[in-house]
Amino acid sequence: MIWRNGVLAAVAALSLGVSALPARAETLADALVLAYRHSGLLEQNRAVLRAADEDVAQAISQLRPIIEYSVQAQRSYVFPNNTPGRTNPATGRSIVGISDDYEDTASIGISASLLLYDGGQTRLGIDVARETVLATRQSLIQVEQQVLFDAVSAYLAVREAQAFVNLRRSNVDLLTAELDASQERFDVGEVTRTDVALAESQLAAARSLLSSALGDREIAQAQYVRAVGQEPGDLAPVDGQPATAPSLAAAQSVARQSHPTVLREMRGVTIAGLNVLRAEAARRPQVSGSVSAQVDQDYTENATIGLQMTGPIYQGGALSSAIRQALARRDESRANLHVTVDDVLESVAQAWAQRAVAVARIEAGQLEVRAARIAFNGLQEEVSLGARTTLDVLDAEQDLSDARANLISAQIAEIRSAYQILFAMGLLTVEHLGLGVTTYDPDAYYRAVKDAPSTTRISPQGRKLDKLLESIGR
């Protein structure tokens, strides 16, 4: 039989778990590592995090002395109303101009000022900057999750597209053989021209589906290049699925506690509360001290020391408005946290349901394929006995092809949904997956800059920071 002579082996090779692989097949883990190293999006958000780290350094610097120097030199000319001895020959009038009298002055000085008290505004600003850093780190983790999930999706899309190409090619081979058999029967008068035309029509449709599958594969490969950074090679079947959670409730509990978006919004609530305190502190006075020294061209020295206190009396209601605004934004951040938690829990539930549906589809698909294969083989036997027509065989072949396609899609969907659950739980990270790749340490740069060191190589910490910048290519 045609089926038994090779098509069965070809279609069976489409099973995602038993495909024969070359010795150096590219695995999903390989693709995830490549995506992590390749991603420009991760690089962009790492730079965003470093910029947030610098906000801490700048906030801390406000509590330190501000030391400045000044150098001044000038020449002053005398502009008299009438310079004696200079007249205009034509008019006889005196010429007003610049005399030779001038005076040179120069001075050099240094000054320092220090904020002594501002009602806690600056220290609260430091706390806000630190909380912003922690929130930005969570955003970076979410970006990492997205990069890895895009790589998983791209990998599975290429696998699915290649499986469909193999399936459509097998269908074309099968229908080509059916057309040849129908033509032979027609030549000996066993079937009519209609049977041959039906086989030709079915073959043309199969070739169209093959062309479509080839196009889908090209699209999937382009998406893979974008996500991973290189052309896909021989992609290995996905060996098993990542561990998620024993139940939907357990998965949602983990997501509520560890999802980076939830943790980021929690930091946002803290930041909003600190900003309320900053707005209230703006009503308090500010005290600062200053000292300066100066020497001029005559080596005359002078020095001053001072203390200044300023505070608001009336600002047209701006301070009260700022407090009310901060309170409103705090309420907004709290509500946003509530919405974010609901969204995350919904995403977990959807991914969990998608996996359950995929499992059910696989079970049904396996039964469907088995039944369609039996029906197809039986119809071929009956055709040889004259009990069935070519149309019956072609319809059975189409049913078998559709069943195989549905099973392939269900198998891919089950794997994808497992990673979708991890993504929704907030655990789709390089560390959690154990990919064994050197990861970006978000704390390294923060430790180097949190105390606002100078990078002028005049301090050990400054030299350390310069080396760190060199290590990341900056």
Side-chain angles (χ1 to χ4, degrees):
M1 288 297 174
I2 297 173
W3 176 267
R4 294 173 181 171
N5 287 342
V7 177
L8 177 61
V11 176
L14 298 173
S15 174
L16 299 177
V18 296
S19 299
L21 296 174
R24 297 177 61 85
E26 183 178 329
T27 66
L28 177 56
D30 295 333
L32 293 176
V33 170
L34 289 171
Y36 181 80
R37 292 173 174 170
H38 160 76
S39 175
L41 189 60
L42 278 172
E43 284 295 326
Q44 174 191 355
N45 282 271
R46 288 165 184 164
V48 170
L49 177 57
R50 290 195 297 273
D53 293 341
E54 295 294 352
D55 286 338
V56 177
Q58 293 172 26
I60 290 175
S61 70
Q62 299 301 309
L63 294 177
R64 294 179 176 174
I66 297 175
I67 304 174
E68 298 177 323
Y69 70 88
S70 64
V71 178
Q72 182 179 4
Q74 64 181 22
R75 171 171 290 184
S76 302
Y77 289 92
V78 178
F79 289 87
N81 291 330
N82 188 5
T83 303
R86 299 185 63 189
T87 60
N88 188 327
T91 63
R93 295 179 180 179
S94 298
I95 300 176
V96 177
I98 302 176
S99 72
D100 293 334
D101 295 331
Y102 61 84
E103 181 182 6
D104 290 331
T105 60
S107 65
I108 183 171
I110 187 171
S111 63
S113 61
L114 177 65
L115 177 65
L116 301 176
Y117 175 78
D118 66 350
Q121 289 187 71
T122 301
R123 293 195 177 277
L124 288 169
I126 295 172
D127 292 338
V128 167
R130 287 170 174 164
E131 289 295 326
T132 301
V133 166
L134 297 176
T136 307
R137 288 184 185 180
Q138 297 302 322
S139 296
L140 179 59
I141 294 174
Q142 179 64 9
V143 170
E144 178 183 340
Q145 282 209 123
Q146 188 64 61
V147 167
L148 295 180
F149 185 72
D150 288 345
V152 170
S153 298
Y155 188 97
L156 295 176
V158 173
R159 286 279 304 160
E160 183 177 19
Q162 184 58 56
F164 271 100
V165 167
N166 294 341
L167 175 62
R168 300 310 181 193
R169 280 177 175 163
S170 296
N171 292 342
V172 168
D173 293 340
L174 175 61
L175 292 172
T176 299
E178 285 288 348
L179 176 59
D180 292 341
S182 297
Q183 186 65 49
E184 290 175 1
R185 295 193 198 100
F186 173 75
D187 291 340
V188 297
E190 293 183 1
V191 297
T192 66
R193 170 59 64 181
T194 301
D195 295 297
V196 177
L198 287 171
E200 291 174 342
S201 174
Q202 199 81 347
L203 177 59
R207 287 173 175 167
S208 176
L209 291 174
L210 174 58
S211 297
S212 178
L214 290 170
D216 291 340
R217 185 179 65 179
E218 292 294 326
I219 294 173
Q221 290 174 342
Q223 293 172 342
Y224 186 92
V225 171
R226 182 178 182 275
V228 177
Q230 67 179 36
E231 294 282 347
D234 295 320
L235 303 187
V238 179
D239 185 16
Q241 299 178 21
T244 54
S247 66
L248 172 58
Q252 290 180 324
S253 177
V254 172
R256 187 190 297 272
Q257 298 174 19
S258 64
H259 197 282
T261 304
V262 173
L263 297 180
R264 182 190 65 199
E265 297 305 326
M266 292 174 65
R267 296 291 179 185
V269 172
T270 302
I271 291 170
L274 291 170
N275 283 330
V276 171
L277 298 178
R278 291 177 70 188
E280 293 173 345
R283 290 179 166 180
R284 300 173 189 143
Q286 293 188 5
V287 180
S288 60
S290 63
V291 61
S292 65
Q294 189 176 33
V295 60
D296 61 18
Q297 74 279 0
D298 298 324
Y299 299 100
T300 301
E301 301 176 355
N302 63 78
T304 60
I305 185 170
L307 191 66
Q308 182 181 21
M309 182 174 71
T310 61
I313 296 177
Y314 175 73
Q315 295 188 0
L319 294 178
S320 297
S321 176
I323 293 174
R324 293 193 300 271
Q325 184 182 59
L327 288 170
R329 287 177 174 167
R330 183 192 62 186
D331 295 341
E332 176 191 3
S333 64
R334 289 174 176 174
N336 192 48
L337 173 60
H338 181 77
V339 172
T340 299
V341 171
D342 288 345
D343 289 343
V344 167
L345 297 182
E346 180 186 7
S347 297
V348 175
Q350 289 180 350
W352 197 272
Q354 288 170 357
R355 184 170 66 174
V357 169
V359 171
R361 285 179 57 197
I362 290 173
E363 294 176 356
Q366 291 171 339
L367 294 175
E368 184 181 6
V369 168
R370 187 179 302 114
R373 184 171 63 243
I374 293 173
F376 178 73
N377 291 338
L379 284 171
Q380 281 200 321
E381 295 287 352
E382 294 177 14
V383 166
S384 64
L385 299 174
R388 294 284 185 173
T389 65
T390 301
L391 178 60
D392 294 327
V393 175
L394 294 176
D395 287 342
E397 191 281 331
Q398 185 62 51
D399 291 341
L400 179 58
S401 176
D402 292 342
R404 294 294 310 182
N406 292 335
L407 180 57
I408 290 171
S409 296
Q411 290 171 324
I412 291 292
E414 183 190 18
I415 299 171
R416 183 184 291 111
S417 61
Y419 282 94
Q420 180 74 56
I421 291 173
L422 269 189
F423 185 25
M425 292 171 64
L427 299 179
L428 190 59
T429 62
V430 169
E431 181 180 2
H432 183 79
L433 295 176
L435 296 178
V437 60
T438 302
T439 58
Y440 180 79
D441 182 7
D443 198 45
Y445 190 83
Y446 177 79
R447 289 195 304 268
V449 303
K450 66 178 181 179
D451 294 326
S454 170
T455 57
T456 55
R457 302 183 186 276
I458 62 175
S459 68
Q461 192 174 3
R463 291 192 293 270
K464 179 180 178 181
L465 177 56
D466 289 339
K467 291 180 180 180
L468 178 59
L469 290 171
E470 292 174 0
S471 70
I472 59 176
R474 301 294 183 271

